[in-house]
């Protein structure tokens, strides 16, 4: 999923208390659910970082002075866009709550 797609999700950016009983509905184990959420948040963070770096490389050149780098309007707008996105943990929680996370438990298959 691209960063623009994450921007379209209706995710509340404020921290809210969650009912812990809803996290074991698919895994029957709170700890497995937390591990799944953590790994998904890491994937999202890695994807967003890679996308940001690719986008920021368009606007930077090796012969720019330090002052020019701070004045680069496009790069500033790109940074603001990524700062306004929900945090990866919030996105992974949203996906988990809406059954959009695929996970595989090898212990169940054995």
């Amino acid at each position: 999923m691209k960063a623009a797609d994450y921007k379209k999700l209706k995710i509340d950016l404020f921290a809210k208390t969650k009912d812990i009983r809803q996290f074991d509905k698919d895994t029957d184990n709170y700890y497995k659910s937390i591990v799944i959420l953590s790994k998904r948040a890491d994937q999202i963070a890695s994807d967003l970082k890679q996308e940001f770096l690719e986008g920021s490389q368009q606007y930077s050149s090796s012969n720019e002075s330090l002052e020019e780098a701070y004045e680069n309007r496009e790069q500033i707008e790109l940074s603001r866009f990524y700062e306004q996105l929900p945090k990866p943990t919030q996105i992974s929680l949203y996906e988990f709550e809406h059954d959009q996370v695929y996970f595989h438990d090898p212990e169940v298959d054995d």
Side-chain angles (χ1 to χ4, degrees):
M1 194 180 268
K2 298 277 186 199
D5 297 334
Y6 291 128
K7 184 81 171 173
K8 294 176 187 175
L9 295 175
K10 303 291 185 214
I11 298 175
D12 190 8
L13 300 179
F14 297 103
K16 289 187 177 180
T17 304
K18 302 283 185 181
D19 182 14
I20 195 164
R21 286 171 273 169
Q22 71 181 0
F23 290 110
D24 71 340
K25 64 180 180 175
D26 295 329
T27 61
D28 296 326
N29 188 323
Y30 301 117
Y31 301 107
K32 285 183 183 179
S33 297
I34 299 300
V35 169
I36 291 167
L37 288 168
S38 172
K39 288 184 180 186
R40 179 63 184 138
D42 288 344
Q43 288 174 345
I44 293 168
S46 175
D47 292 346
L48 289 175
K49 180 180 179 182
Q50 184 65 29
E51 193 175 324
F52 173 75
L53 291 176
E54 288 171 2
S56 66
Q57 287 176 350
Q58 294 175 354
Y59 304 117
S60 64
S61 65
S62 59
N63 58 358
E64 280 187 27
S65 69
L66 189 58
E67 293 87 24
E68 290 174 359
Y70 284 116
E71 295 175 2
N72 191 341
R73 196 105 165 107
E74 293 87 8
Q75 196 166 10
I76 292 170
E77 290 301 318
L78 181 68
S79 296
R80 284 189 181 148
F81 173 78
Y82 280 92
E83 287 174 359
Q84 292 174 353
L85 286 175
K87 303 294 181 223
T89 52
Q90 293 171 318
I91 296 170
S92 68
L93 273 169
Y94 177 86
E95 290 178 347
F96 189 79
E97 290 173 345
H98 291 87
D99 298 324
Q100 297 175 352
V101 176
Y102 171 77
F103 57 91
H104 174 72
D105 190 357
E107 292 177 3
V108 173
D109 291 342
D110 290 341

